[in-house]
Every structure is written in C-alpha cells, then in structure tokens.
Amino acid sequence: MTDRRRALPAVDAVLRMHQVAALLAAHPRELVVRAVREVLAAARRAEAALPAGPEQWARRLDLRLAELTTPTLRRVVNATGVVLHTNLGRAPLAEAALRAVAAAGGGYSTLEYDLPRGTRGSRHVHCSELLAEITGAPDAIVVNNAASALLLALAVAAPGRGVVVSRGELIEIGGGFRIPEILAQSGAELVEVGTTNRTRLADYERAMARARTTTGKPGDVGAILKVHRSNFRLEGFTEEASLEDLVALGRKRGVAVLFDLGTGLMVDLTETGLPPEPTLPRAARSGATAVVASGDKLLGGPQAGILVGAKRFVAACRSHPLARAVRADKLTLAALAATLSLYRDPARARREIPVLRMLTTAVADLERRATELARRLPAPANAAVRPSRAAVGGGCFPGAELESRAVVIAPDNLSAADLASRLRAADTPVIGTVAAGRVVLDVRTLASGDEDAVVAAVRGALS
Ligand SMILES: *Cc1c(COP(=O)(O)O)cnc(C)c1O
C-alpha cells in the first residue's frame, strides 16, 4: 500500500506527458485535471490499478473524459415495446413539433407579442384557439403538466371549500402524485363519497346536501371532481356516476365540475383492438367546467398540462397567481401548437404523431420490420423473430396489450443480462428487456432509422 502510494505521480507530471497533450487540446484544462485527480484517487483507494505508463494514462483519461462530457440526458432507442415509457421520456415528438421547437427556440418569437398591433401579446393565444377548435371546448389554457393544471383548477374552483370526490377515485398517478395531496395543496378540502368499488350519483347528492353548498363559507362544497382511473382497472361489482350526470348535478347546485382525464386521447383507438377510452373532445363537450389532460401521453405532444373548459373559468385560471408559477415555456407551446394542428386532419395525426403511429402499426408491418432487422444482425447474435406483447404505458390503457413482434437475441457465450448491459452502453444506447435468458427487442416502439443504431449496438456488444 505504501509502495503503491509512493509510486503515484504528481498531477503535473501526468499533464506533461506528451500522450496527454491531445486531451488537453480537446478539453478544458480544468476537466483534464479533474480526470487525472479522479484516476489517482481511484488508485489510492485501490479501486483500480494505477496506469502503467503514459499510453495507459492517456487511454484511461480519455475514457473518463468521455464519461464526464457525455450528457446525462441523451437519446436512446426504446425497444421495450412500451409506447409511453415514462422513464424514457413518454411521447416522442412529431417532425412538425420538432421543427416548431427549433424555430421558436433558435431565435426570437411572438411568444408574447401581437404582430399586427406591434404591442405586447399573450402566450396563452398560441394553443387555446387550436384546443377550442379541435376539442369543441369554449376555451383552454396550457400549463406545465396535468398535475399543475389540476392544482390550478382546484385552487380556482374551491379555495378553502369542499371538493367532492368518489372514494374509488382517490388515486395515485405515479411520481408521488396523489389526488388527496394535490387537493390539500390547492387549499381545498376533500369530501369523500361512496366506497372503493361503488359510488352512485345519490352519494354525491347526499354529501352536497349535508355540506351547505355555494354559500362561500368553510365546509361548503365548491366543486365536484371526477378522476379518470387511467392507470388501473376496477372490475366486478362496481358502479360510478357518469360525467354527464355529475355535470347535471353541478349545474343544479351551482358548483364547478372538474374532470381529470389524464390521458389526453384525441381519437378513438378501438380499431387497434384497444378497449374504449374516453377522449378529450368528448369530455370537453360534456359541459364540465374544466377538463384536465396531459400533453405527453396519448396526445403525443410535449410535457404539458391542458385545461379546457368554460370561458369564465379559464379566464379565472389565467389570472390566478398560480398560473404564473406553472406556466408553460415557449418550446412547449411551440411543440404543442404544432402537434395540435396535426389533429385538424385525424388521418394525418395518426400518420405523423409517433405515439399514434406506433399504436396503430399493423402486425404484418411489424413482422416485416422485425424480419429485416434480424437479417441485419451478425450471426453470433442467434437472432430470431418472435411474437411479443407491447403495452401503451404511461399509465394509459392499464392491462391492455398490443400484439407485436420482437427480435430475440441469445448469443452462445454471453448472458442476456450482460448483453443487455452492453447494449445500454452503446453510443446510442438500446433499451430492451430480458426474458427467458434472451434479450428481447420489440420493434413496435422503434422510430424509423432506429434499426441502424440497434445493428451498431449489437455488433459492438458481440465484438
Ligand atoms: C397522468 C395523469 C395525471 C398527471 O399528468 P402529468 O402531465 O404527468 O402531470 C393526472 N391525472 C391523471 C388521471 C393522469 O392519468
């Protein structure tokens, strides 16, 4: 140990090695110094051997500098078959949305500028008219994500007042987003009705009769909240009040009716074999005071919170102080507006919005793609095409599966876990799954051109 320490070179001595000069030319000096210190520290702690000579020093530093300069947020190939993979960034954007982001982000824009008048404008105009047009809602506002849209809606509808929610809808969405907690944060007070499996309209009526409504005093009911069970299924002996019934009840009692739809589904997808799910246009036309949806789930746009609803309610949301805290930025608004405008032509939306394209690709096309990909992989991969099951993901269509095709790889002298780890270490990392001792690469979630990255990663892993 003492010998090893005595053998450690000084940082300056390493920096003077002529083999290290190229690294100093390519990277800021501070970063190279940091890499040298880290290699020395690892050797001191006996975690790694000290580089034996200048050549080895240069190689080790080069590796460490590559690690330090690779962004932690980077593109990967999603071969998991989970279309809305939350850990992999949910929805990939359409080409039109990417172009809009580049245009808005690469220069100045009309974010808050009224061109005809030459005066200050509003960032809210860019998506609200489009949303009204394609959903049929009177008005709309876009914020940072659906969680903040719901927070804003509750803060506007029922500050310090009761919000009636079915016990079957007091759910957790993921990432610590729980309806009772969001409700508490908004300053509203939870009024639970019904049971986990059955909640009738009469349960809402009774709770609202008990709590005096619309007098504006604490303990009064300010809103009815319905939450779409987007990420789990309730089966068997169940009952719930429909959105339409709740809208009628809200009208009668003069309280707001909020619907947290979540998914942002714009088009019917039952032709793909998926079960029926409520769509945003249908919910928007229900007469609910506000409907909340996510931009980056089935809508296929950027992370955003969409709130569509009554004109006066949306106006109150716009002028609430929270709206400033949760406002969407120009890149989001650009991407969302471009995505929304694709929905003017639903056939075009299905073709050009990646999430919809992936969900609606025919199995015959997937079979062709998988066969072609397997053919391109090196022989030692022992690649074969197998039927697989893809999923919608993102907490949408819980339990539903889509028939799909995968290329399975099982090299002779490499374990599936090791192969999967090497694929993740590729220049463009490839994320697959491991099942029955094989790496499974589902082709339903591959973007066009991803095959080249998969071929390169598999070649690299097996060489
Ligand atoms: C996903 C989801 C949310 C949260 O959406 P984010 O955009 O991720 O904040 C809220 N409610 C429901 C019902 C959801 O499915």
Side-chain angles (χ1 to χ4, degrees), residues 143-154 173 177 182 260 292-294 304-306 326:
V143 294
N144 198 32
N145 56 17
S148 52
L150 181 60
L151 183 68
L152 180 61
L154 288 166
I173 306 298
F177 173 96
I182 289 277
D260 180 9
V292 163
S294 205
I306 292 167
V326 298

Side-chain angles (χ1 to χ4, degrees), residues 406-421:
V407 175
V408 298
I409 315 179
D412 292 329
N413 32 29
L414 188 63
S415 77
D418 285 342
L419 174 58
S421 140

Side-chain angles (χ1 to χ4, degrees), residues 34 83 151 193 200 274 288 296 299 345 391-392 396 401 414:
R34 174 176 163 189
V83 176
L151 183 68
V193 296
R200 302 182 188 84
L274 288 166
D296 57 349
L299 192 136
D345 175 356
V392 181
C396 303
E401 286 184 329
L414 188 63

Side-chain angles (χ1 to χ4, degrees), residues 90 144-150 171 173-174 177 179 227-231 260-263 292-297 303-305 394-396:
R90 283 195 187 160
N144 198 32
N145 56 17
S148 52
L150 181 60
I171 63 176
I173 306 298
F177 173 96
I179 294 295
V227 185
H228 177 48
R229 282 186 292 263
S230 56
N231 60 355
D260 180 9
L261 169 71
T263 68
V292 163
S294 205
D296 57 349
K297 290 184 182 172
Q303 179 192 304
C396 303

Side-chain angles (χ1 to χ4, degrees), residues 381-387 406-411 414-420 423 432-441:
N382 296 327
V385 175
R386 293 273 182 278
V407 175
V408 298
I409 315 179
L414 188 63
S415 77
D418 285 342
L419 174 58
L423 295 179
T433 51
V434 171
R438 294 176 174 136
V439 169
V440 181
L441 303 176

Side-chain angles (χ1 to χ4, degrees), residues 79 116 126 137 186 222 274 331-332 342 359 407-408 437:
H126 308 299
S186 76
L274 288 166
L331 303 184
T332 300
L342 292 174
L359 290 175
V407 175
V408 298

Side-chain angles (χ1 to χ4, degrees), residues 9-28:
V11 172
D12 270 346
V14 176
L15 294 175
R16 277 196 305 272
M17 294 174 180
H18 79 263
Q19 290 85 344
V20 175
L23 298 176
L24 282 166
H27 300 280

Side-chain angles (χ1 to χ4, degrees), residues 85-156:
H85 199 300
T86 301
N87 300 148
L88 303 184
R90 283 195 187 160
L93 294 178
E95 286 293 334
L98 292 173
R99 283 195 300 270
V101 167
Y108 297 102
S109 66
T110 55
L111 179 65
E112 290 184 355
Y113 191 75
D114 185 327
L115 269 184
R117 290 202 178 91
T119 55
R120 186 188 169 148
S122 163
R123 72 175 59 218
H124 293 302
V125 302
H126 308 299
C127 292
S128 53
E129 276 172 28
L130 263 170
L131 276 165
E133 178 191 324
I134 62 171
T135 68
D139 203 354
I141 175 174
V142 171
V143 294
N144 198 32
N145 56 17
S148 52
L150 181 60
L151 183 68
L152 180 61
L154 288 166
V156 167

